[in-house]
Amino acid sequence: MRVNSFRWRLTLTYLAIAAVSIAAIGSYLLNWTEKYYTDSVRKQLRADSVLLVRIVSDDMGKGVDPDRLDRLAKTLGRTLNLRITIVNLPGVVLADSDYDPRLMENHRNRPEIRRALAAGFGTSVRASRTLHTTMLYDAAAVPNAIAPRAVVRVAMPLLGLAGLLDRIRNVFLVAMGLTLVLVALISLRVTGQIVAPISEMTAMARRIAGGEFSRRLRVRKGPEDEVFVLMGALNEMAERIEHLVLQLSREKSKVETVLRKTDDGIVVLDDHGQIQSVNPAAEMLFGFAESELVGKSVMEGLLHTELSQLAARTLSSGETGSLDVTVTSPKERLLSAHCAPITGSSDPDARPDGVALTLHDLTELKRISRVRRDFVANVSHELRTPLSTLRAMAETVALRFEDNTEAAAEFSTKIVGEVQRLTAIVDELLELAEIEEGKRGLNTRRIRVVELVERAVNACAADAARKQIGLDVSVDEDLELEVDPDAICQVVVNLVQNGINYTDTGGKVTISAQKSEGPALISVADTGIGISKADRERIFERFYRVDKARSRETGGTGLGLSIAKHLVELHGGSLSVESEPGKGSVFTISLPR
Ligand code: ADP
């Protein structure tokens, strides 16, 4: 128990109250006893003095004889068991029951004697110089006709009083000791009952402050006093806090999940414009980890003047702002930046506590809209050329070759050719649309790759032979894959056909696939014209052709690689190209096992 603890202080207070009360009663009782005792002795002595004055007066009436007086004093003293002293007016002791008066000093200045001389009677309590003990003296003047003749003094030691007072004092001291021990015990017990729940509540409050909300106080049965109510209130408070904290942490984790999963970059700044948090999308956009950015300003961290100015404007004005900006590193991107103030207070004019900078990546959107625009232009263009040709030829046939059947037949053949080309384009466009819409399902089954490749080679063999291009196959016999055979065969045919188309006579196209760890790789390599780096990035786009004339000659639509790429991706794989202009190209299909 600490010295300044509540329990200790309460006990000390009780002890002090008990001690002071007992001491007060004790001292009152001692005073009263002393007074009562002295008063009764005094009354007794007064009666004795009155009697003695009579006797001494009678004796003195016979003439003053000190020896006779002394004998009288000694006889009376013995009889009454008192000390009797007779003093004349100048204070000379004439007789004394206990001592030899001739040896005694002058008594004129004793207070009781002075008072008796002045007023007839006088009392005094004091230590006797002669007897060395506290005495009660009572003196009475022996009257004469005009003035007193002498003073008779009786004295009695107050021996019994001291003993009595000591007894009373001792009884009180013992009583006080016992009472204090009892008070201490009772007080410790009672305060213990009060303090124990307070200690429990203190411990609980500490736990709550330390973030532990699940514990509750055991509310004891008993009277519904203040402590009972307080314990209940504390439990209720803990319950509320726990509920609130849980709710808050749920909300927080929801917000965190949204921030973590969203595709938009989000940067939160504090009221000084310093970065507080950065979500993964923003880390990707700027190429910095959150830990590198926290605590820095937008300018220092993101190295972007326009964003820094946008954030500063929102911080100072408290108004939302938007801006399209470009970031160049780690990749060039077009971002739509939106800066909103974060305000905790309900006062609309208060300075914001920070700002949230949201960054939406427009690069892909822009690319898609460009691709769409290009596509519409390409389709119109692709269809327009054969349509005008068709129209011209049909008009020619109708106007000019009424009787020239041979020329008419030749033109008709051309018309059929153009119509076939148009049909091919439309068919391939439809196929592409089907794949993109997810309508093209996959009929997968386990198949040996060599079987697939042979099917493709057979389909292209005639064309290869016509151009005198060698077709080499180097495929592991037992390499098997779980794929849609028609789709993958179509891809391989397309790649081999391209190899033949873009390789000059006498060249070679090699199809290979070997067993290895990781994904299965089927590659089609040619010794053809190759593709420049700029074109390599675009050949998978719809209608993109490096050399339009050459592609047209071979009946190409510019859609083949686009379809091939989509089909491979439907399998969860990828299609890539490596090439060196003038030397040849290698297309590789990578398929997951
Ligand atoms: P196309 O029907 O014109 O062949 P593709 O989509 O199959 O259309 O190919 C797109 C373009 O990629 C072709 O026009 C050609 O310029 C280029 N290309 C494709 N394969 C090869 C190759 N093996 N060698 C060189 N260029 C190629």
Side-chain angles (χ1 to χ4, degrees):
M1 190 162 60
R2 288 199 322 275
V3 178
N4 60 352
S5 74
F6 175 63
R7 203 172 171 192
W8 182 253
R9 277 185 288 146
L10 211 61
T11 304
L12 276 188
T13 309
Y14 286 154
L15 285 177
I17 292 172
V20 168
S21 322
I22 295 173
I25 296 172
S27 77
Y28 173 78
L29 208 65
L30 284 175
N31 273 336
W32 184 85
T33 311
E34 188 175 6
K35 197 163 169 293
Y36 182 82
Y37 187 93
T38 317
D39 278 353
S40 55
V41 173
R42 189 174 289 142
K43 272 185 198 148
Q44 176 64 45
L45 281 186
R46 176 59 51 88
D48 291 342
S49 331
V50 170
L51 182 69
L52 284 172
V53 161
R54 277 271 177 88
I55 296 170
V56 170
S57 177
D58 283 352
D59 187 88
M60 282 182 135
K62 296 174 205 163
V64 179
D65 176 358
D67 286 339
R68 202 182 59 234
L69 269 180
D70 193 49
R71 276 198 302 279
L72 178 68
K74 286 194 163 69
T75 316
L76 285 172
R78 261 199 308 281
T79 318
L80 296 173
N81 196 22
L82 286 172
R83 181 180 167 202
I84 300 167
T85 312
I86 302 167
V87 180
N88 70 4
L89 289 190
V92 177
V93 178
L94 300 176
D96 192 281
S97 59
D98 294 16
Y99 296 93
D100 183 352
R102 277 165 306 199
L103 302 177
M104 289 168 70
E105 59 184 62
N106 188 295
H107 272 44
R108 189 181 166 78
N109 279 332
R110 299 289 196 272
E112 67 280 3
I113 292 184
R114 273 210 310 222
R115 243 171 266 148
L117 284 174
F121 292 100
T123 50
S124 157
V125 179
R126 63 196 154 77
S128 150
R129 277 182 229 162
T130 332
L131 288 175
H132 306 296
T133 152
T134 304
M135 303 285 283
L136 177 60
Y137 295 97
D138 193 81
V142 180
N144 200 1
I146 311 158
R149 192 189 285 172
V151 174
V152 175
R153 185 185 75 173
V154 288
M156 205 177 182
L158 292 175
L159 279 177
L161 176 65
L164 187 63
L165 293 184
D166 275 351
R167 282 270 295 282
I168 294 175
R169 202 173 288 122
N170 286 343
V171 165
F172 262 91
L173 283 179
V174 170
M176 188 188 293
L178 286 176
T179 312
L180 291 188
V181 169
L182 212 66
V183 165
L185 288 178
I186 292 174
S187 157
L188 284 178
R189 200 181 145 73
V190 172
T191 53
Q193 283 172 355
I194 300 173
V195 166
I198 293 181
S199 305
E200 267 180 65
M201 286 189 278
T202 312
M204 162 117 164
R206 288 224 175 90
R207 278 199 295 270
I208 292 179
E212 192 193 329
F213 311 109
S214 56
R215 295 269 206 97
R216 297 285 175 276
L217 292 169
R218 247 179 306 110
V219 180
R220 66 191 154 70
K221 286 199 192 82
E224 298 198 358
D225 56 11
E226 291 86 343
V227 174
F228 178 91
V229 175
L230 187 59
M231 283 179 125
L234 208 62
N235 274 346
E236 206 174 306
M237 187 181 84
E239 186 101 8
R240 285 255 175 92
I241 293 180
E242 188 182 14
H243 180 70
L244 219 65
V245 167
L246 202 76
Q247 219 175 351
L248 279 179
S249 77
R250 276 206 202 115
E251 288 301 321
K252 191 169 166 247
S253 81
K254 263 191 229 166
V255 172
E256 273 174 359
T257 311
V258 171
L259 286 184
R260 244 183 298 117
K261 299 292 174 196
T262 180
D263 290 337
D264 287 347
I266 296 171
V267 179
V268 177
L269 311 179
D270 65 13
D271 57 339
H272 298 298
Q274 286 183 326
I275 298 175
Q276 261 186 336
S277 70
V278 177
N279 75 340
E283 286 181 331
M284 285 270 294
L285 287 178
F286 293 100
F288 293 115
E290 186 178 31
S291 56
E292 295 174 80
L293 297 175
V294 169
K296 290 184 182 166
S297 68
V298 173
M299 196 60 219
E300 290 165 341
L302 306 181
L303 310 170
H304 206 290
T305 321
E306 287 167 276
L307 285 179
S308 168
Q309 287 166 347
L310 177 68
R313 265 201 304 281
T314 301
L315 254 186
S316 62
S317 67
E319 278 170 20
T320 306
S322 300
L323 192 68
D324 283 356
V325 295
T326 333
V327 291
T328 45
S329 159
K331 247 172 107 179
E332 178 155 335
R333 281 195 169 99
L334 176 69
L335 304 178
S336 155
H338 187 83
C339 197
I342 301 171
T343 38
S345 104
S346 50
D347 176 9
D349 297 330
R351 202 182 134 83
D353 298 332
V355 294
L357 192 59
T358 318
L359 302 151
H360 184 66
D361 191 352
L362 297 178
T363 323
E364 184 61 14
L365 212 68
K366 233 186 134 195
R367 193 188 69 79
I368 290 171
S369 94
R370 196 200 70 220
V371 167
R372 188 160 296 150
R373 250 191 345 263
D374 288 359
F375 178 70
V376 173
N378 285 337
V379 171
S380 326
H381 183 75
E382 290 298 326
L383 297 181
R384 218 167 141 215
T385 319
L387 278 176
S388 2
T389 317
L390 276 177
R391 186 176 160 195
M393 285 192 287
E395 278 172 1
T396 312
V397 172
L399 292 175
R400 296 242 223 104
F401 302 131
E402 275 173 7
D403 32 77
N404 186 346
T405 46
E406 207 173 301
E410 189 189 328
F411 263 80
S412 299
T413 316
K414 280 189 182 165
I415 289 173
V416 171
E418 282 301 320
V419 169
Q420 272 172 348
R421 233 178 79 72
L422 265 181
T423 315
I425 292 178
V426 173
D427 283 350
E428 286 187 2
L429 271 178
L430 281 176
E431 188 176 1
L432 207 57
E434 259 182 24
I435 298 173
E436 280 185 338
E437 278 175 31
K439 284 191 189 152
R440 170 78 145 93
L442 289 180
N443 262 329
T444 57
R445 66 181 169 88
R446 213 160 176 80
I447 184 165
R448 284 164 65 227
V449 174
V450 72
E451 214 174 289
L452 266 177
V453 170
E454 268 164 16
R455 250 165 74 183
V457 166
N458 287 340
C460 304
D463 286 339
R466 203 176 311 123
K467 263 188 101 174
Q468 294 170 12
I469 286 176
L471 285 182
D472 280 3
V473 176
S474 156
V475 177
D476 260 351
E477 285 284 330
D478 50 354
L479 177 59
E480 285 189 355
L481 277 178
E482 176 91 21
V483 291
D484 180 333
D486 291 341
I488 297 301
C489 186
Q490 184 183 342
V491 174
V492 177
V493 167
N494 189 287
L495 296 179
V496 174
Q497 201 71 56
N498 278 349
I500 297 168
N501 288 346
Y502 302 102
T503 302
D504 293 330
T505 306
K508 197 167 81 174
V509 173
T510 312
I511 305 133
S512 44
Q514 260 75 43
K515 244 188 168 170
S516 70
E517 293 293 306
L521 303 175
I522 306 172
S523 59
V524 178
D526 62 53
T527 55
I529 57 171
I531 311 159
S532 73
K533 183 168 186 295
D535 291 323
R536 279 205 295 275
E537 282 170 14
R538 300 199 59 190
I539 51 173
F540 297 104
E541 289 175 18
R542 279 167 279 209
F543 295 119
Y544 188 82
R545 283 161 296 179
V546 178
D547 179 349
K548 291 216 170 170
R550 180 160 183 159
S551 165
R552 238 180 112 76
E553 260 172 43
T554 60
T557 57
L559 292 170
L561 281 182
S562 206
I563 294 173
K565 190 171 161 69
H566 272 91
L567 285 176
V568 175
E569 283 172 358
L570 265 188
H571 283 82
S574 63
L575 180 59
S576 60
V577 60
E578 280 168 48
S579 177
E580 205 175 315
K583 292 208 170 150
S585 316
V586 183
F587 283 83
T588 307
I589 307 165
S590 162
L591 290 168
R593 300 270 192 148

